[in-house]
């Protein structure tokens, strides 16, 4: 597993220049994850031209394209890479939380999203997923893309998201719940 800094290290002041807040508690770290996700929605939403930028197929496709176009800048140094992974990984994770009624969980020093499906708990690694996507920049529409990941999640979890997922915490990010077609 690739190690990433805790999401709170990302801050939310600019895409590659961020303030590093202090660690207070796990609750504040999860709150920072949510702020990072809101940062992605606000900033990528405005630059994408999509009024409905959020947890939907078009937004994942936009992020895939952005990663492909900006891979060199994202990877210019380890700090830029870590910050981008933390910020976009927070968004990906919050989309999973809101769509599948998941919850953030500290697992062996890294944050993951715990989702229960078919009476089995799954730990999903959004930061790892974003990091792999950056490493394989040619997968803009392939199985390792963010769009492909969200398209394949229902199959991996054994079914579509819960019908009442929009009522869960983090649902403000969900412009269109993933899996609703």
């Amino acid at each position: 597993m690739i190690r990433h800094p805790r999401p709170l290290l990302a801050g939310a002041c600019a895409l590659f220049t961020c303030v590093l807040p202090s660690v207070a508690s796990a609750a504040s770290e999860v709150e920072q994850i949510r702020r990072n996700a809101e940062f992605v929605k606000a900033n990528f939403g405005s630059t994408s031209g999509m009024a409905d930028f959020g947890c939907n197929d078009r937004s994942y496709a936009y992020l895939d394209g952005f990663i492909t176009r900006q891979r060199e800048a994202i990877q210019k140094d380890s700090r830029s890479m870590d910050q981008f992974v933390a910020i976009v990984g927070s968004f990906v994770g919050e989309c999973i939380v809101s769509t599948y009624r998941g919850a953030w969980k500290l697992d062996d020093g890294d944050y993951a999203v715990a989702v229960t499906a078919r009476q089995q708990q799954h730990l999903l690694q959004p930061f790892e997923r974003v990091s792999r996507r950056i490493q394989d920049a040619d997968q803009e529409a392939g199985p390792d893309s963010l769009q492909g990941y969200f398209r394949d999640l229902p199959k991996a979890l054994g079914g579509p998201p819960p019908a009442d997922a929009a009522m869960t915490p983090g649902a403000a990010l969900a412009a269109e719940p993933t899996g609703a077609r």
Side-chain angles (χ1 to χ4, degrees), residues 24-45:
S25 69
S28 66
E29 290 178 354
V30 171
E31 186 52 42
Q32 183 62 46
I33 289 171
R34 290 186 178 122
R35 284 193 296 271
N36 288 347
E38 287 294 336
F39 174 82
V40 169
K41 184 177 180 197
N43 287 275
F44 282 91

Side-chain angles (χ1 to χ4, degrees), residues 1 16 21 23 29 32-33 35 57 67 82 86 112 123 129 135-136 139 143 151 153 158-159 161 164 171:
M1 178 185 330
F16 295 108
V23 177
E29 290 178 354
Q32 183 62 46
I33 289 171
R35 284 193 296 271
D57 199 53
I67 290 169
D82 289 347
L123 285 178
R129 173 54 66 171
Q135 299 302 320
D136 194 5
Q139 284 293 317
R151 199 172 290 139
L153 263 179
D164 63 346

Side-chain angles (χ1 to χ4, degrees), residues 66-140:
F66 181 88
I67 290 169
T68 299
R69 292 186 305 276
Q70 298 297 323
R71 180 179 184 204
E72 196 171 302
I74 293 166
Q75 292 182 315
K76 74 178 181 176
D77 58 46
S78 63
R79 182 180 167 140
S80 294
M81 175 80 166
D82 289 347
Q83 289 176 339
F84 187 84
V85 167
I87 291 169
V88 175
S90 294
F91 175 79
V92 169
E94 277 294 290
C95 286
I96 296 167
V97 167
S98 67
T99 304
Y100 290 94
R101 291 192 296 197
W104 287 101
K105 178 178 181 177
L106 194 54
D107 179 53
D108 195 27
D110 290 327
Y111 277 92
V113 177
V115 174
T116 302
R118 297 199 173 206
Q119 301 171 346
Q120 182 178 358
Q121 187 176 59
H122 303 269
L123 285 178
L124 305 175
Q125 305 286 340
F127 302 106
E128 174 73 21
R129 173 54 66 171
V130 171
S131 180
R132 280 193 300 176
R133 173 61 187 87
I134 294 166
Q135 299 302 320
D136 194 5
D138 298 332
Q139 284 293 317
E140 191 168 327

